[in-house]
Structures are given as C-alpha cells and as structure tokens.
Amino acid sequence: MAIHTPLLDTVDMPEQLRQLSRKQLPQLASELREFLVESVSQTGGHLSSNLGVVELTIALHYVFNTPEDRLVWDVGHQTYPHKILTGRRSDMASLRKAGGIAGFPRRHESEYDTFGVGHSSTSISAALGMAIAAQQQGLDRRAVAIIGDGAMTAGMAFEALNNAGAMDANLLVILNDNDMSISPNVGALQNYLAKLLSSRLYTSVRKSGEKVLGVMPPVLEFAKRAEEHMKGMMTPSTLFEEFGFNYIGPIDGHDLDTLIATLNNIKQLKGPQFLHIVTQKGHGYAPAESDPGKFHGVGKFNPDDGCAIPNNGKKTYTQVFGDWLVDMAATDNRLIGITPAMCDGSGLNSFAEIYPERFYDVGIAEQHALTFAAGLACEGLKPVVAIYSTFLQRAYDQLIHDIALQNLPVVFAIDRAGLVGADGPTHAGSFDLSYLRCIPNMIVMAPSDENECRQMLTTAYQFNGPSAVRYPRGGGPGTEIKQDLTSITIGKGEIRRQGKKIAILAFGSMLTPSLAAAEELDATVANMRFVKPLDVDLVIQLANSHDLIVTVEENAVMGGAGAAVIEALQAMRKNNNVLCLGLPDTFIEHGIHETMLAECGLDAKGIKAAIEKQLT
C-alpha cells in the first residue's frame, strides 16, 4: 500500500506552491491549518487570527510573484501561515523562543518579510511607499497591503487610504474583515460580482464607454451615476471609492477558487485597488471558532480539546488591576474604563461584564482613546485608560497636548512595562519611564509587588491630575494582596534594607533582585516607588551616608529613573559615585523573560557583578 505524502511536506517555498494544481490547494489548506494548531499548541502564540488567513495566504503566494511582489501584513500576528510557506516550517518549533523566529514579520528574518509589523494599521502606508518606489524605479512590481483583525479601526489606515487614492500607484489593499460589521452579505452573488468587477471585460467596457460618452458630458455623468447606483446597491463600495480606490467584494476569504480568480483579475488592473474579503477567526478549529478571543493569544494547550496547560496559578499584575478596577468602580460611579482593543489582555473583562455602561473599547485607536478620555475628564468623570506600554507610544502627542497640558485627571494603567519575553522588541515596554517623566504635571509610579500595585492605582485615582502606574507582564513576587483601597503618600519611597557603603535605589520590578544582591553585598536598598515626583529627600539622605549610589530599573537607562537620580544629585551639587543599571541602548530580541533580564545584567547575579566591577 502506497504511503501518502502530505502536500505540505512538498511545499517549503512559494515556487513549489505555484507548481500545485488549483484542485490540490484545498488539501494544502487543510494540512496547513492542522499543522498550525499542532505547532502553536506546543509553543504558544497567536492562533485564531492565523487560522483565519490560511486560504488568503495560499492564494496570495499562488497568484503573486513573491518576494518580488511585496506583501505587507497587518496586523503582524496573522503571518504564521506566511512564515510556514516561505521556508520557515521547520523553524516553527522555535517560534518566539530565544534564537528562534519571531511571532511577527521581521525584515532580517526573511526576504519575504517586506516590512516589520508588530503594531497595527501601518500596512497601507508602507505598501504605498513600496508601490511609489517601484514606480520611481520603473519596475513592474505589485505592492499588497493585507489589513485586518481590527487594524482598519486606526486613523493611520484612513490617512494612508486618503493619500493612496490620490496617487496612480499599483497598490492593492486587502481588507481581511473578520470581526467588523462592514458587510455580512457573502455568498454566490457577491463572489460573482467580485469576479465581474475585477475582470478585464468590465474594466475595458467602462473605459470604452467613458471615451464614447466623453463627447456628451451630461450623458457621461448620467452613466457614471447609474454605474455607482448599481454598485452601491450590490456592494458597500461607496466609502472606499470616495478615497479613489476601485472597490471589489466582499468575497468569501475561505473560498480558494474565488480568491485566486479575483486576485488574478486584480493583478491585471492598474492604480489603487481595494479587495474586501470576509473570514472567520479560528476557522477550521472548533474550539477557536467558538471562542476566537480566547484563542487570539494562547500559551501551550492540548490540541485535541483546546484546553490550556495549567501554569503556576500566581495572580498577575493584569489581574490585580482588573480586580482593583471593579472594586473602585463600586465606590465611584464616575469611573470609566477605556481600552484600545485590549479588553482581555489588559484585564477589563470582569469590569466590562459588571459595568457594561461604563466600559469602552475604542478599537485599535490609541490616539482617540486618550483624547476621548480627556473629554470625559473635562466633564467631571474619572477615566482609567488600560493600555500596554508599547501602545501608549502611539498616542504620545495626545498624552502631552490633550491630557497633561490641560492637567486632566486621567489614570493610565500601563501594562507590559519592561521586557515582555516571547513577544519581543515590538511589544517591549522599554521606554515609558523615559518618555513619561519628562512631561509636566505627570505622576509616574512603579510598584514592586502586587499589593503595592493596588495601592498605587488607588493613589493615581485620587490624584487630581494625570497619573501613571506601570507594571510588568506576568506576576510579581507573590505578595499578599489586601482588598482595601488604601493609597500611599505621593513622592515617598522607603528603605527596605539597611546596609553600608552601597545604596541601591530600586524602581518597580527591580526591588526583588536588588534585595537579593544586597544580601551578599551588605547594601542598603530603597524601594523608590515614584519616578516622578522623585523622593529627592531620600536620595540625598542615601547620598550623604553611602559611597556608591546604584539605580536599577527595567527601563532604558537613557533618560530613565537613574537619569532622574543623577539630575537630583547634580541639582544638590552632590558628587557621588553613581552607577545606573537598566536596559541597554539596543532592541532586545524575544526569549524567556528571566533569561532576558539576566542577559541585561538585571538579575541578582548581574546587579552584584556590576556593583563589584564599579568598586574595583
């Protein structure tokens, strides 16, 4: 009996994919989907979004001459099928591990990864740049932006659409509509219309008609209106055609025949084209289909039933925030919870269920989230913005101009501060202490444990101005959490260990390794708590009684908390020996969080070694 060789085993690169017949592609899609589930179950990562683009990925590499034709994926966490079909199938076991492939497109990883995408809504801008570059260089090359998984909600996408529609570049934008209510009307009629509207026949008839009717302007205008009326009745084209695109769709994004036929037709067209496809997150894997949010980002799980493999069960900082938010909301009906598309990741699920009328998920629109919060604060409400450190960077102008400048009481619960392990440099919160502490009116806090995080959130909420509490991914040292809503004194740190000669000023998550290092060095350790306002009195007290001042933070050294300490010492004309420890001036690749900290010298061993070196 002949042994059947899986098709996927014969396809390592797009060239091999293009050798397959159209009839073989559904089998390839099935095998690719099965491989995805098995692979991600072992490594963790993003699953639902990748299951939803299996057919689209196959169709794109089948029709277009990649990598010469440029594919720009957006959001980047839907590129696992793309990686598998572009020579990295054997590397999927190393996904998001140290030294392995990234969970997002990386230019240095493969020539098929044309643009690095970790944040969202950048694809149309980047692909437009590539299309214009091809035009400038006289190259017959296509640029394709694949935007989906909510990325179309960001203003940047519409800024790019507005600009692209005014240019005569060969740009194709594909909207992967998997959770937006743009159009539910997908079926045989819509697929037929998509093929028709993208065909050469339709295009040539329209152009010929314009030439013929051009001598009779009133008739031409009537014909155009009639055409738009018919298209408007059958497709949701108006918005995108107003931007200057030729709209095609919506079509079934899991129908390979329709996808390939439509893409082949579009490939022959010139100018900006917009293809609208409808897909299902988690498609083909029942647990992910029934709960795509749960399987958006997963740890290791059993592929047979989708059940997660248990972790240590320790409460995370995200959960601490979520519990605090519910408790505080019960005491103050002015509290409003806001998140830019990260309800689950930021810990707002319980709040959203208990207080749905006070919960707002604004989509992937960080700039809007902050100015929306500012408007609420102007009217006496108390907005709490739950946001990842890396995503807050996208709304820096709104933070300064709309909130801090007007001194509005908006609380920022900043999750994923510091290194984030497997998600890597695109998601690392390496810079927030630096970019927050330079803003007037801001209060910036960094908790050293879970209970202190809860206290700081209360402190921030009670403060009549902009405030931020930044905390890392995962859990803390396991400190018991008191369920009251007590606050702490603003701008005051505390001595946690009394020693001699060496004073370690620890900020946030670095208190635990600093205490461990201090035991071997007999050093004093201060839990600084506040980056702004800095406890200058405590800094001066320690400077007067110790030979060496050491600052430790899980943030970039440049411009961070250590820089604030040096500034304070200089202002008081103190000339202490100061050592600043933190993240180096480089982007740190993905890996295991603890290992990454050790490599940066921010574990107990590394802190001790750096201090001993400074003293020699």
Side-chain angles (χ1 to χ4, degrees):
M1 184 175 180
I3 299 175
H4 173 67
T5 301
L7 273 180
L8 187 59
D9 289 349
T10 69
V11 177
D12 285 319
M13 302 296 287
E15 292 89 343
Q16 295 162 315
L17 168 63
R18 296 175 198 129
Q19 298 303 310
L20 300 179
S21 68
R22 292 266 289 270
K23 292 182 178 180
Q24 291 176 295
L25 298 184
Q27 179 186 334
L28 179 67
S30 177
E31 292 176 8
L32 178 53
R33 187 168 275 113
E34 184 179 345
F35 179 85
L36 266 173
V37 172
E38 183 65 33
S39 177
V40 176
S41 74
Q42 300 299 313
T43 63
H46 293 91
L47 185 61
S48 294
S49 54
N50 285 290
L51 291 171
V53 296
V54 167
E55 288 82 6
L56 175 61
T57 306
I58 291 172
L60 285 168
H61 284 292
Y62 194 75
V63 171
F64 289 97
N65 182 31
T66 56
E68 176 63 21
D69 289 330
R70 311 301 201 221
L71 302 183
V72 183
W73 292 91
D74 184 4
V75 180
H77 59 230
Q78 58 183 343
T79 54
Y80 295 4
H82 163 79
K83 287 175 182 276
I84 292 167
L85 294 176
T86 55
R88 287 167 279 181
R89 177 161 48 96
S90 62
D91 295 325
M92 287 298 289
S94 72
L95 182 74
R96 295 158 37 96
K97 297 178 181 178
I101 62 174
F104 307 95
R106 301 293 298 275
R107 280 172 53 83
H108 68 78
E109 189 176 292
S110 170
E111 62 179 337
Y112 291 89
D113 291 2
T114 61
F115 197 75
V117 185
H119 293 181
S120 80
S121 316
T122 58
S123 60
I124 304 175
S125 299
L128 177 60
M130 294 173 185
I132 294 299
Q135 191 179 78
Q136 290 283 332
Q137 297 163 11
L139 300 174
D140 184 21
R141 184 173 66 209
R142 305 298 301 212
V144 183
I146 306 101
I147 184 167
D149 213 19
M152 203 69 188
T153 60
M156 184 177 177
F158 286 91
E159 292 175 20
L161 282 174
N162 184 56
N163 188 214
M167 299 186 183
D168 191 29
N170 292 330
L171 171 68
L172 169 59
V173 175
I174 299 177
L175 172 60
N176 173 27
D177 176 7
N178 59 15
D179 57 6
M180 297 160 61
S181 301
I182 293 179
S183 176
N185 302 316
V186 178
L189 176 61
Q190 292 294 339
N191 289 343
Y192 167 75
L193 288 170
K195 292 178 183 178
L196 173 66
L197 295 175
S198 65
S199 69
R200 283 183 171 183
L201 175 62
Y202 175 83
T203 306
S204 62
V205 167
R206 181 169 62 179
K207 290 184 180 295
S208 298
E210 288 177 356
K211 288 180 180 179
V212 172
L213 298 175
V215 295
M216 297 178 287
V219 179
L220 174 60
E221 182 62 26
F222 174 79
K224 283 184 175 179
R225 290 186 179 183
E227 178 196 30
E228 290 309 310
H229 176 68
M230 291 302 295
K231 289 179 70 176
M233 287 175 60
M234 298 181 290
T235 65
S237 63
T238 306
L239 172 64
F240 300 110
E241 294 213 339
E242 286 297 324
F243 277 116
F245 283 78
N246 178 45
Y247 174 92
I248 299 154
I251 66 174
D252 184 350
H254 301 299
D255 184 334
L256 273 163
D257 283 338
T258 299
L259 276 172
I260 291 172
T262 304
L263 289 172
N264 271 319
N265 285 336
I266 292 174
K267 190 177 178 182
Q268 310 307 317
L269 302 179
K270 301 295 183 182
Q273 310 294 323
F274 192 100
L275 174 61
H276 178 181
I277 73 169
V278 177
T279 62
Q280 178 188 27
K281 288 189 76 169
H283 186 75
Y285 182 55
E289 285 183 352
S290 61
D291 193 349
K294 176 182 175 183
F295 284 87
H296 172 72
V298 295
K300 295 181 180 181
F301 65 94
N302 184 339
D304 294 332
D305 56 16
C307 292
I309 296 174
N311 56 22
N312 59 21
K314 189 166 60 173
K315 182 164 284 193
T316 66
Y317 280 104
T318 302
Q319 292 169 325
V320 171
F321 163 72
D323 293 344
W324 169 86
L325 191 67
V326 170
D327 293 344
M328 183 58 76
T331 70
D332 190 347
N333 59 15
R334 297 175 300 161
L335 188 152
I336 304 292
I338 303 169
T339 183
M342 294 304 297
C343 178
D344 182 52
S346 293
L348 277 78
N349 283 345
S350 294
F351 176 82
E353 291 176 7
I354 299 171
Y355 300 104
E357 73 285 354
R358 290 197 263 161
F359 167 71
Y360 295 93
D361 183 344
V362 302
I364 303 177
E366 294 88 357
Q367 293 172 303
H368 163 61
L370 267 64
T371 304
F372 171 55
L376 291 167
C378 283
E379 300 302 321
L381 297 181
K382 297 282 287 186
V384 177
V385 179
I387 191 168
Y388 288 9
S389 172
T390 186
F391 298 146
L392 182 56
Q393 295 163 184
R394 293 161 61 93
Y396 196 52
D397 180 65
Q398 288 70 29
L399 174 59
I400 295 172
H401 189 276
D402 297 341
I403 294 175
L405 181 61
Q406 302 185 91
N407 201 26
L408 294 173
V410 176
V411 175
F412 293 93
I414 303 177
D415 205 332
R416 271 54 167 190
L419 300 177
V420 291
D423 281 338
T426 58
H427 284 59
S430 303
F431 313 110
D432 54 72
L433 295 185
S434 301
Y435 70 68
L436 288 172
R437 78 174 191 87
C438 63
I439 303 174
N441 295 330
M442 284 291 302
I443 283 183
V444 184
M445 292 169 270
S448 62
D449 60 45
E450 298 89 337
N451 190 60
E452 196 168 67
C453 182
R454 184 178 172 94
Q455 291 177 321
M456 286 181 175
L457 288 164
T458 302
T459 305
Y461 190 79
Q462 294 173 350
F463 178 66
N464 191 32
S467 56
V469 180
R470 61 98 72 171
Y471 43 88
R473 182 177 192 170
T479 302
E480 180 183 356
I481 304 170
K482 298 178 181 178
Q483 297 307 307
D484 56 16
L485 292 169
T486 57
S487 59
I488 58 178
T489 304
I490 291 176
K492 290 298 178 183
E494 60 175 1
I495 301 292
R496 291 291 294 269
R497 186 188 190 281
Q498 190 65 56
K500 302 173 182 177
K501 295 184 179 181
I502 304 164
I504 303 176
L505 282 57
F507 292 86
S509 60
M510 291 293 98
L511 178 63
T512 297
S514 294
L515 285 169
E519 286 297 322
E520 298 190 44
L521 296 167
D522 192 20
T524 297
V525 178
N527 175 21
M528 295 303 295
R529 290 179 166 173
F530 290 83
V531 177
K532 186 177 184 180
L534 187 69
D535 190 343
V536 176
D537 291 340
L538 180 57
V539 171
I540 299 305
Q541 172 191 330
L542 295 172
N544 287 335
S545 55
H546 295 77
D547 298 332
L548 174 64
I549 299 293
V550 182
T551 66
V552 193
E553 59 191 299
E554 194 174 345
N555 182 85
V557 170
M558 298 181 71
V565 170
I566 291 175
E567 291 163 10
L569 291 171
Q570 287 180 335
M572 298 301 293
R573 297 187 178 182
K574 296 289 184 181
N575 295 314
N576 293 75
N577 184 8
V578 181
L579 172 63
C580 294
L581 301 179
L583 302 179
D585 184 27
T586 187
F587 292 105
I588 300 166
E589 295 300 320
H590 56 273
I592 298 172
H593 183 238
E594 292 76 12
T595 303
M596 297 165 74
L597 286 176
E599 291 174 350
C600 293
L602 293 179
D603 60 349
K605 181 180 178 181
I607 293 169
K608 176 177 177 287
I611 292 173
E612 289 175 336
K613 182 179 179 181
Q614 184 76 4
L615 293 173
T616 58

